[in-house]
């Protein structure tokens, strides 16, 4: 309907600047690992429909991730992202803020279409965590800067919450037990935390993760 | 958890700057009008729980509205809002963008807790409409500026979509038929369009609606 908005929202999904697609890849692997038909009550049979629904989670997760990148780049006045000019530099802050909002609203519409309110809750909470983490990072006092606990909490909100909660969503869609869903969540949490720890260490010792 | 974020998000909910509360008022009146127990199949009995759920819709609608005001004020570099300094002027653009995102994510979490995916879809689509309308307004060509059709479409997205879809959500929660839900939607659409038409005319002939 509005070409400028569509172009802005698609900016980081184009070939060559789509990034590593780390989160969607992990989520589809998690789906493969979990879609084994187990003789548990109420388990959803493995089907192409289940796989398609889990793929939606992977897409939604990437949309939320890119939306947060767009807003973060406005906040940080960043010039580059994924080796090209940032969207705020190319199209201005206004379009970048709106494109982020647009991706979030599309993610929310896609989530609702999965017709699973627990999954909607999980991913909506992630957006809240991303904002909380970004604010914690922006407002860190010098005392907080020396607290490992504060750093880990901020890192969970900023990085690990998205992958851990979407791993859990993939498990819930597969009809797995609460126990398995919690294990999927823990896997995502540890992976997300480890990823960010390495990325932060590389700020001192290398280039980028 | 993060005091600065909470303070920013609450900024326009404080006594004296809460605005006219036009949307929540209309929604609660709509709820009263619709919560008549009709002898239709599957109708939800009138209960305090139903009223509480509809009140959540009124709250969510106001949160989405304020979130859009916060982002619009950043986009327009606005200095004042509701007779006080704009949040972007007081706390900066960064905090204003994050506070808007925070309100949207909280609205989404609250929506999910209503456990009605059709209602989640309706309100998620509204956020998409708000962004589309704002972008249409920002990118209007001189030809489009003379089109009444373009103006009405933009006005639906920017103003009427929120109140019309939330009126419909209130009807759906009451267990009303699709026909009644559509009438509630049309009522909100006409009210929203009329409100904005008057507000825009007042830009030329008066002060504010």
């Amino acid at each position: 309907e509005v070409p400028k908005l569509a172009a802005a929202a698609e900016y980081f999904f184009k070939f060559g600047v789509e990034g590593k697609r780390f989160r969607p890849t992990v989520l589809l692997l998690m789906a493969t690992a979990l879609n084994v038909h187990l003789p548990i009550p109420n388990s959803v049979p493995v089907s192409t429909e289940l796989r398609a629904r889990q793929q939606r989670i992977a897409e939604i997760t990437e949309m939320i991730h890119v939306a947060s990148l767009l807003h973060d780049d406005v906040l940080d006045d960043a010039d580059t992202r994924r080796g090209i000019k940032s969207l705020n530099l190319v199209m201005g802050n206004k379009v970048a803020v709106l494109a982020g909002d647009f991706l979030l609203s599309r993610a929310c519409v896609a989530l609702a279409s999965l017709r699973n309110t627990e999954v909607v809750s999980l991913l909506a909470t992630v957006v809240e965590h991303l904002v909380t983490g970004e604010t914690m990072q922006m407002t860190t006092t010098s005392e907080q800067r020396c607290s490992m606990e504060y750093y880990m909490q901020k890192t969970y909100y900023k990085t690990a919450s998205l992958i851990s909660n979407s791993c859990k969503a993939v498990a819930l869609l597969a009809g797995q037990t609460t126990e398995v869903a919690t294990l999927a969540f823990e896997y995502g949490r540890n992976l997300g935390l480890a990823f960010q720890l390495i990325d932060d260490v590389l700020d001192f010792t290398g280039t980028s993760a």
Side-chain angles (χ1 to χ4, degrees), chain A:
Chain A
E1 184 121 38
V2 184
K4 195 168 188 174
L5 188 58
E10 286 167 11
Y11 189 71
F12 282 117
F13 290 95
K14 291 203 194 105
F15 184 72
V17 290
E18 73 281 42
K20 295 182 290 291
R21 290 182 170 169
F22 171 67
R23 290 163 193 79
T25 306
V26 168
L27 290 169
L28 292 178
L29 289 170
M30 177 61 81
T32 303
L34 291 176
N35 293 358
V36 183
H37 188 54
L38 294 171
I40 48 173
N42 305 318
S43 78
V44 179
V46 180
S47 68
T48 52
E49 202 208 315
L50 168 60
R51 182 80 187 177
R53 285 162 65 79
Q54 290 166 325
Q55 204 168 313
R56 290 301 277 163
I57 295 288
E59 292 160 3
I60 289 163
T61 298
E62 190 67 7
M63 286 162 77
I64 293 174
H65 173 59
V66 171
S68 79
L69 296 183
L70 294 181
H71 282 188
D72 283 359
D73 283 353
V74 171
L75 303 182
D76 301 338
D77 232 334
D79 292 336
T80 58
R81 165 74 66 184
R82 291 181 177 172
I84 60 170
K85 285 177 185 166
S86 65
L87 185 65
N88 42 305
L89 192 73
V90 175
M91 301 185 83
N93 281 345
K94 294 187 188 195
V95 173
V97 169
L98 287 171
D101 289 349
F102 182 73
L103 283 173
L104 283 181
S105 65
R106 276 292 174 98
C108 209
V109 172
L111 264 176
S113 76
L114 291 173
R115 312 259 147 209
N116 182 317
T117 51
E118 189 172 359
V119 167
V120 176
S121 277
L122 284 178
L123 276 291
T125 305
V126 166
V127 179
E128 199 181 311
H129 286 170
L130 290 172
V131 175
T132 304
E134 180 68 22
T135 312
M136 283 176 82
Q137 184 164 307
M138 256 173 54
T139 61
T140 315
T141 63
S142 52
E143 200 179 325
Q144 285 165 338
R145 203 181 301 277
C146 299
S147 158
M148 191 66 188
E149 199 188 338
Y150 187 88
Y151 169 79
M152 291 301 279
Q153 188 64 52
K154 184 220 73 182
T155 303
Y156 170 71
Y157 286 143
K158 268 217 73 173
T159 308
S161 174
L162 179 56
I163 187 70
S164 57
N165 281 293
S166 51
C167 277
K168 185 175 176 182
V170 162
L172 291 176
L173 289 182
Q176 292 285 352
T177 58
T178 309
E179 195 193 343
V180 173
T182 304
L183 288 171
F185 174 90
E186 286 299 327
Y187 171 79
R189 199 177 79 94
N190 290 321
L191 187 67
L193 290 174
F195 176 86
Q196 192 59 52
L197 288 174
I198 293 169
D199 199 51
D200 288 347
V201 167
L202 284 174
D203 278 348
F204 295 96
T205 64
T207 52
S208 76

